[in-house]
């Protein structure tokens, strides 16, 4: 656990530098939150590095000069990381289509670092195989070509299928962890799971998988962990800017078992195994079109915007939902009224607050979450 | 302030808009179907070729801003749980809907028969129409995802993707809602009219290269783009409007006159400015006055390119109807990567012989605003021309601090004077 904590809090990304030093010519590709096809990076022999801002460990000195006060925190801390040379070990940077902020950040990046590889990952919002699928396959072909050029390693189908298998395994163990936490959240507290997930930002997937397996085996041996009278809640709105660890701890201390969440959603964006037979790009296309997680940045063609959240509540036997969106996060905050309405229609209790990745005062959040948790325990029909 | 002066073309446009809203108000009574859609990447010719009437919620929001109604609409949306942090166009629209959906002419707007979600250059559009879908219940949505031109060029597979969506998603839904079959010849005829109007719009915008400029390409420019960016592109009425506008501007050019402001012809042109970003609508006239009182005229603007970058050569091409619509969508200003936007502004500053440039940064629009501080620095470095950075909002009156903005403008223009003095 200490290792996971160190990895997730290290804003100098020493693990990435060390990984690169272990082999000649090794390269690392950074990516902002939500989905990028990490399998292609892996198949080129490179390391995919999740960049989720500077959290509460980084003082912003130059980053604020790039953004107006009404822009969320993650782009300014990411720029700060870069300008303070903490991201110099990255050989390229990917910007998934989360929102206009991250989209425009891709352009800023290419102006600040004209000699570095920068790519905006434009995922389809049309989910027809012959339309959005064809477009996405073409985008994947571009990435495959670019990564091969960057790494000097041609990405053949066999290598890509092997990388898909590696990530399938990683997603599998993350699903196991989430299932275990949902069943016994006192054994696998969110405050620990969060560190373990964040370690996946900087570790090769094989190592991350081993770390998670080890934790799944060891955590139940902690005999002091006992079930307590807490409310089971789902946490929503944190798919991009990540909360400080103190906020997660605060929710637990306020009497909540977090039984599901959307932290670091990119690690488990694909909800099912990707096929390891046939054309591997087609397999990735199919997985994206048909097995993606729902998030505010993805269009819901069926119109049932809140269905995934209600499913999550039901599947995890949650008693309520806590909406915790980053301040000025357009996708999460525009989504919220629709999700709230869906919960209201289903009679599911909820509460809402906003955070920033460097939020340092938790008293108000503790009070609010505590009151919410108490109200569920005292007044719920169950 | 004296009585407001309006040019003939403005009166003509006013009548066009008024007639359109009247048609909308009675549309359902007369069996006419209505499509809600957005300005950037709008498929007006296609929608109109099915005999459908477009409603543009952004236009409703800005009209509400101009009519000083947006504050109460935004408050209404916030009362219903919409965050203070998000786009005020969205909240203004939702608030207007909650308060009866009364349009600018005082008559109720019809419910949509189709939400045509042209997701071009603005992520918020996606959420906006998801919210409207929730409000209206069972209204169908046709989704057109327009990929981003991160590299500043249209890739063939991006064009194919947009065209495929038109064939498989947009046209079938328009056929379903209208009860009519797609008529490609009719679409071609409309695209021909679009191109004619686009020629005259470009001529008008480029007239500002002359000194003195006969137009204000920002505060006046938002009127000039009105018909072509909204419900009239592809219509004979738009061609007529731009013919009239061109004649009007030609007359001012011939007479060596500057722009017409709400208080009459502008005085001597002292400063030529380029501007990036949308205007504020709640204090539109007051904001404009801060510039024309000082003799500052906007000679080029990026906001007047959100609905199409015609001055870079694009014209709707009737010979390739769906492909040209795809290129149009892909080429709208906010769908361009930041480096392309900086290049464009740099060219405007040079081509229009600008003394300075303004970045009007609006809180509501991340699509425009994110990166503007960097654009400011890049442009100053590349051109040596100093920039002014002002913050306000589109339609939230709480974010327009008149005294503060006026001070900054005056200081900036004084700085330009000093710079000229040094240069002389």
């Amino acid at each position: 656990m200490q290792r996971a904590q160190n990895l997730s809090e290290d804003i100098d990304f020493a693990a990435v530098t060390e990984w690169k030093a272990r082999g000649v010519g090794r390269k690392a590709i950074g990516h902002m939150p939500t989905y990028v096809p990490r399998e292609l990076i892996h198949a080129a022999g490179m390391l995919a590095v999740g960049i989720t801002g500077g959290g509460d460990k980084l003082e912003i000195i130059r980053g604020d000069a790039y953004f107006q006060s009404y822009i969320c925190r993650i782009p300014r801390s990411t720029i700060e990381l870069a300008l303070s040379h903490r991201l110099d070990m990255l050989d390229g940077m990917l910007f998934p289509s989360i929102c206009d902020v991250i989209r425009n950040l891709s352009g800023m990046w290419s102006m600040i670092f004209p000699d570095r590889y920068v790519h905006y990952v434009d995922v389809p919002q049309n989910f027809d195989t012959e339309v959005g699928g064809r477009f996405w396959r073409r985008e994947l072909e571009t990435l495959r070509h670019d990564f091969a050029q960057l790494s000097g390693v041609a990405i053949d189908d066999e290598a890509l299928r092997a990388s898909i298998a590696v990530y399938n395994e990683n997603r599998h163990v993350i699903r196991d962890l989430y299932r275990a936490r949902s069943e016994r959240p006192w054994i696998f507290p969110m405050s620990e799971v969060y560190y373990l997930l964040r370690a996946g930002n900087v570790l090769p997937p094989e190592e991350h998988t081993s770390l998670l397996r080890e934790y799944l085996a060891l955590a139940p041996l902690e005999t002091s962990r006992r079930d307590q009278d807490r409310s089971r809640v789902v946490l929503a709105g944190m798919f991009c800017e990540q909360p400080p660890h103190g906020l997660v701890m605060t929710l637990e201390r306020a009497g909540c078992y977090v039984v599901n969440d959307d932290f670091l959603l990119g690690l488990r964006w694909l909800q099912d195994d990707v096929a390891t037979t046939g054309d591997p790009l087609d397999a990735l296309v199919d997985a994206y079109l048909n097995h993606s997680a729902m998030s505010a940045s993805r269009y819901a063609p069926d119109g049932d915007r809140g269905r995934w959240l209600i499913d999550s509540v039901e599947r995890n036997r949650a008693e309520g939902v806590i909406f915790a969106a980053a301040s000025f996060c357009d996708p999460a905050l525009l989504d919220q009224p629709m999700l709230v309405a869906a919960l209201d229609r289903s009679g599911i209790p909820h509460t809402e607050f906003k955070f920033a990745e460097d939020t340092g005062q938790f008293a108000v959040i503790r009070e609010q979450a505590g009151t919410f948790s108490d109200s569920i325990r005292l007044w719920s029909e169950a | 302030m004296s009585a407001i002066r309006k040019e003939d073309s403005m009166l003509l446009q006013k009548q066009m808009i008024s007639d359109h809203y009247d048609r909308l108000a009675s549309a359902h009574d007369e069996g006419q179907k209505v499509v809600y859609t957005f300005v950037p990447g709008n498929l007006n010719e296609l929608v109109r070729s099915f005999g459908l009437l477009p409603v543009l919620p952004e236009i409703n929001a800005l009209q509400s801003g101009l009519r000083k109604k947006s504050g109460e609409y935004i408050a209404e949306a916030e009362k219903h749980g919409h965050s203070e942090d998000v786009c005020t166009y969205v909240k203004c629209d939702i608030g207007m809907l909650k308060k009866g959906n009364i349009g600018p002419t005082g008559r109720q707007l019809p419910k949509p028969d189709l939400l045509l979600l042209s997701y071009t250059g603005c992520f918020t559009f996606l959420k906006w129409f998801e919210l409207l879908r929730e409000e209206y219940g069972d209204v169908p949505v046709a989704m057109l995802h327009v990929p981003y031109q991160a590299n500043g060029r249209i890739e063939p597979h991006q064009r194919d993707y947009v065209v495929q969506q038109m064939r498989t998603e947009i046209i079938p839904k328009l056929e379903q809602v209208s009860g009519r079959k797609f008529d490609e010849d009719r679409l071609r005829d409309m695209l021909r009219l679009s191109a004619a109007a686009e020629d005259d719009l470009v001529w008008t915008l480029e007239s500002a290269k002359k000194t003195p400029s006969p137009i204000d390409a920002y505060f006046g420019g938002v009127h000039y783009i009105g018909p072509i960016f909204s419900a009239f592109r592809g219509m004979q009425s738009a061609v007529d409007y731009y013919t009239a506008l061109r004649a009007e501007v030609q007359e001012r050019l011939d007479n060596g006159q500057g722009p017409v402001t709400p208080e009459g012809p502008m005085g001597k042109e002292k400063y030529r400015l380029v501007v990036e970003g949308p205007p504020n609508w709640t204090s539109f006239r007051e904001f404009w006055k801060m510039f024309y009182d000082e003799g500052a005229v906007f000679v080029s603007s990026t906001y007047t390119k959100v609905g199409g970058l015609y001055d870079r050569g694009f014209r709707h091409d009737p010979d390739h109807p769906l492909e040209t619509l795809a290129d149009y969508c892909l080429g709208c200003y906010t769908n361009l990567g930041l480096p392309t936007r900086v290049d464009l502004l740099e060219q405007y500053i040079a081509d229009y012989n600008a003394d300075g440039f303004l970045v009007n940064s609006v809180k509501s629009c991340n699509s425009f605003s994110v990166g503007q501080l960097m654009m400011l620095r890049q442009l100053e470095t590349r051109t040596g021309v100093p920039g002014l950075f002002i913050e306000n909002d589109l339609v939230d009156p709480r974010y327009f601090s008149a005294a503060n903005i006026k001070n900054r403008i005056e200081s900036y223009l004084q700085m330009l004077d000093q710079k000229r003095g040094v240069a002389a």
Side-chain angles (χ1 to χ4, degrees):
Chain A
M1 182 48 59
Q2 189 58 47
R3 183 174 176 230
Q5 180 176 348
N6 292 344
L7 288 167
S8 71
E9 289 182 344
D10 179 14
I11 54 172
D12 290 313
F13 299 88
V16 179
T17 308
E18 285 161 18
W19 179 87
K20 288 184 74 172
R22 288 205 292 269
V24 178
R26 282 187 162 185
K27 297 212 162 132
I29 303 291
H31 63 85
M32 295 299 288
T34 74
Y35 181 71
V36 299
R38 290 174 298 154
E39 292 86 346
L40 281 165
I41 300 171
H42 186 268
M46 301 191 289
L47 181 66
V49 182
I51 303 296
T52 48
D56 56 353
K57 307 290 180 215
L58 184 69
E59 187 186 358
I60 306 293
I61 298 165
R62 281 161 286 195
D64 280 342
Y66 284 78
F67 298 97
Q68 300 89 324
S69 56
Y70 50 80
I71 307 296
C72 57
R73 169 111 180 157
I74 185 170
R76 63 189 77 226
S77 66
T78 302
I79 287 276
E80 185 72 34
L81 285 172
L83 294 178
S84 57
H85 301 288
R86 289 179 168 93
L87 301 181
D88 283 357
M89 76 296 177
L90 296 178
D91 300 284
M93 190 75 179
L94 306 179
F95 295 85
S97 47
I98 308 170
C99 66
D100 295 327
V101 175
I102 302 300
R103 187 197 68 181
N104 285 12
L105 184 60
S106 71
M108 294 173 70
W109 210 268
S110 57
M111 287 195 283
I112 299 172
F113 306 110
D115 301 329
R116 295 192 201 170
Y117 177 75
V118 179
H119 190 86
Y120 177 67
V121 182
D122 209 351
V123 295
Q125 298 284 2
N126 175 297
F127 305 105
D128 182 328
T129 310
E130 293 303 316
V131 184
R134 207 158 78 183
F135 168 75
W136 184 227
R137 187 184 159 100
R138 185 64 186 76
E139 291 283 306
L140 291 177
E141 283 168 359
T142 300
L143 287 174
R144 182 180 187 157
H145 168 267
D146 291 356
F147 293 160
Q149 279 215 320
L150 267 173
S151 66
V153 175
I155 304 173
D156 62 31
D157 284 358
E158 196 180 333
L160 186 50
R161 280 192 285 266
S163 296
I164 287 172
V166 166
Y167 276 100
N168 277 346
E169 197 58 29
N170 186 251
R171 287 185 284 263
H172 216 278
V173 73
I174 292 173
R175 284 199 295 273
D176 286 348
L177 179 59
Y178 267 69
R179 203 175 300 117
R181 188 190 58 167
S182 178
E183 285 166 9
R184 293 184 295 169
W186 57 95
I187 301 285
F188 306 98
M190 188 59 231
S191 48
E192 292 182 359
V193 171
Y194 186 46
Y195 278 142
L196 285 153
L197 287 176
R198 289 192 71 136
N201 274 343
V202 292
L203 286 178
E206 301 87 341
E207 275 185 54
H208 188 230
T209 301
S210 300
L211 182 71
L212 297 181
R213 283 221 174 93
E214 197 181 336
Y215 175 73
L216 272 166
L218 292 177
L221 304 180
E222 292 275 352
T223 52
S224 60
R225 297 182 173 188
R226 298 260 188 279
D227 190 8
Q228 295 176 7
D229 183 21
R230 292 184 178 183
S231 302
R232 298 170 61 86
V233 300
V234 168
L235 207 49
M238 299 170 160
F239 52 86
C240 182
E241 185 168 319
Q242 298 296 293
H245 189 262
L247 194 155
V248 178
M249 294 280 288
T250 298
L251 295 179
E252 291 190 324
R253 286 177 182 155
C256 298
Y257 281 139
V258 179
V259 292
N260 201 11
D261 59 71
D262 53 5
F263 298 136
L264 298 152
L265 196 56
L267 296 175
R268 54 212 158 86
W269 184 274
L270 302 181
Q271 309 262 289
D272 214 337
D273 283 351
V274 182
T276 49
T277 55
D279 183 298
L281 286 187
D282 282 348
L284 286 171
V285 168
D286 176 68
Y288 186 83
L289 295 182
N290 300 310
H291 304 290
S292 281
M294 185 40 87
S295 112
S297 59
R298 187 164 171 262
Y299 178 57
D302 60 3
D304 199 352
R305 194 70 237 180
R307 186 67 253 164
W308 67 272
L309 187 54
I310 291 166
D311 285 348
S312 172
V313 167
E314 289 172 353
R315 200 173 53 248
N316 294 290
R317 294 178 291 110
E319 299 157 289
V321 172
I322 294 179
F323 290 103
S327 292
F328 303 110
C329 175
D330 263 359
L333 291 168
L334 286 162
D335 214 30
Q336 204 163 289
M338 293 181 271
L339 301 181
V340 163
L343 294 183
D344 285 345
R345 286 193 294 270
S346 298
I348 298 168
H350 54 84
T351 190
E352 300 88 32
F353 61 80
K354 289 187 289 188
F355 74 96
E357 62 178 8
D358 64 338
T359 297
Q361 299 293 324
F362 303 114
V364 174
I365 291 173
R366 182 167 180 160
E367 251 177 53
Q368 189 179 341
T371 306
F372 181 63
S373 174
D374 289 347
S375 72
I376 288 173
R377 277 178 292 167
L378 291 172
W379 307 112
S380 69
E381 287 172 16
Chain B
M1 189 183 283
S2 56
I4 295 162
R5 293 280 301 272
K6 291 190 189 299
E7 299 163 274
D8 289 345
S9 64
M10 282 181 77
L11 296 172
L12 180 58
Q13 181 176 170
K14 194 176 176 201
Q15 191 59 49
M16 288 160 72
I17 292 171
S18 173
D19 290 348
H20 183 66
Y21 277 108
D22 281 344
R23 285 186 73 190
L24 286 172
S26 56
H28 283 167
D29 291 340
E30 292 167 14
Q32 188 134 33
K33 300 288 178 60
V34 171
V35 175
Y36 282 31
T37 194
F38 292 111
V39 170
N42 74 68
L43 303 174
N44 197 57
E45 299 89 344
L46 189 62
V47 169
R48 291 284 204 161
S49 75
F50 285 93
L52 299 164
L53 289 177
V55 172
L56 298 133
E58 300 138 289
I59 306 285
N60 296 340
L62 77 83
Q63 291 277 359
S64 298
L66 289 167
R67 291 181 300 124
K68 313 285 185 196
K69 300 284 284 181
S70 54
E72 70 175 276
Y73 290 156
I74 290 165
E76 181 71 15
E78 289 179 357
K79 202 170 80 187
H80 282 84
H82 293 265
S83 170
E84 66 271 24
D85 288 359
V86 302
C87 172
T88 52
Y89 265 1
V90 177
K91 287 186 290 189
C92 183
D93 186 40
I94 300 270
M96 183 173 119
L97 171 60
K98 297 278 187 196
K99 282 185 168 281
N101 221 18
I102 305 301
T105 52
R107 298 177 69 186
Q108 190 176 39
L109 292 172
K111 287 182 179 176
D113 296 291
L114 177 72
L115 294 167
L116 173 47
L117 169 46
S118 57
Y119 170 30
T120 304
C122 170
F123 181 84
T124 298
F125 286 160
L126 191 156
K127 307 310 296 179
W128 190 341
F129 269 18
E130 285 185 339
L131 284 161
L132 286 192
R133 180 172 61 188
E134 292 268 315
E135 294 288 339
Y136 285 113
D138 57 356
V139 175
V141 183
M143 162 60 144
L144 180 71
H145 173 210
V146 177
Y148 186 56
Q149 271 198 60
N151 300 325
R153 60 178 181 271
I154 297 173
E155 305 289 352
H157 77 285
Q158 293 180 323
R159 180 184 296 117
D160 291 348
Y161 177 42
V162 178
V163 169
Q164 276 304 310
Q165 290 177 83
M166 285 190 221
R167 289 206 171 106
T168 60
E169 165 82 1
I170 308 300
I171 290 173
K173 284 187 173 157
L174 289 171
E175 285 181 331
Q176 202 175 0
V177 167
S178 67
R180 287 192 196 178
K181 292 299 286 179
F182 173 48
D183 182 345
E184 192 168 288
D185 288 336
R186 183 166 158 74
L187 176 61
R188 286 177 202 273
D189 290 343
M190 298 186 83
L191 292 169
R192 218 164 272 122
L193 293 175
S194 298
E198 286 155 8
D199 281 342
D200 283 342
L201 170 68
V202 170
W203 183 91
T204 301
L205 294 177
E206 292 191 336
S207 70
K209 287 180 178 170
K210 297 278 196 288
T211 304
S213 169
I215 63 164
D216 186 290
Y218 189 41
F219 294 105
V222 299
H223 292 288
Y224 305 151
I225 58 174
I228 215 159
F229 279 21
S230 61
F232 306 101
R233 203 184 65 229
M235 312 290 286
Q236 185 59 45
S237 57
V239 176
D240 296 342
Y241 167 81
Y242 286 102
T243 304
L245 174 65
R246 181 171 176 161
E248 216 168 70
V249 174
Q250 181 66 60
E251 192 181 328
R252 289 208 294 276
L253 264 181
D254 294 343
N255 296 329
Q257 292 171 323
V260 178
T261 74
E263 293 180 289
M266 193 179 135
K268 184 175 164 38
E269 177 185 297
K270 287 170 67 183
Y271 312 97
R272 297 170 63 83
L273 305 177
V274 166
V275 55
E276 146 75 11
N280 163 274
W281 300 109
T282 53
S283 302
F284 182 82
R285 242 177 255 148
E286 188 180 1
F287 195 23
W288 188 359
K289 184 173 166 58
M290 290 177 194
F291 290 97
Y292 67 67
D293 273 355
E294 301 290 335
V297 62
F298 286 99
V299 289
S300 186
S301 88
T302 54
Y303 180 69
T304 53
K305 316 295 156 45
V306 288
L309 223 65
Y310 301 111
D311 63 338
R312 310 322 285 174
F314 173 81
R315 294 290 181 278
H316 282 91
D317 175 6
D319 293 334
H320 304 93
L322 297 188
E323 291 77 7
T324 201
L325 286 172
D327 284 357
Y328 161 72
C329 294
L330 285 156
C332 290
Y333 178 71
T334 48
N335 203 47
L336 306 179
L338 245 57
T340 311
R341 285 169 57 182
V342 173
D343 289 347
L344 186 68
L345 277 157
E346 185 185 0
Q347 278 183 314
Y348 284 162
I349 289 167
D351 293 351
Y352 287 81
N353 195 24
D355 306 302
F357 68 94
L358 163 69
V359 178
N360 194 53
S361 185
V362 296
K363 172 185 173 286
S364 269
C365 186
N366 286 344
S367 181
F368 258 109
S369 301
V370 174
Q372 282 179 330
L373 282 162
M374 190 174 173
M375 292 169 78
L376 173 88
R377 285 194 290 271
Q378 288 263 332
L379 285 167
E380 285 185 332
T381 306
R382 288 193 203 178
T383 64
V385 170
L388 168 65
F389 199 89
I390 289 178
E391 290 184 62
N392 47 61
D393 188 50
L394 294 166
V395 289
D396 192 334
R398 294 171 295 189
Y399 292 95
F400 191 87
S401 171
N404 184 27
I405 290 171
K406 193 167 192 300
N407 275 342
R408 298 196 64 166
I409 292 168
E410 286 173 356
S411 304
Y412 174 72
L413 296 177
Q414 281 169 11
M415 186 266 286
L416 287 188
D417 278 340
Q418 278 185 335
K419 198 164 176 275
R420 277 177 181 161
V422 171

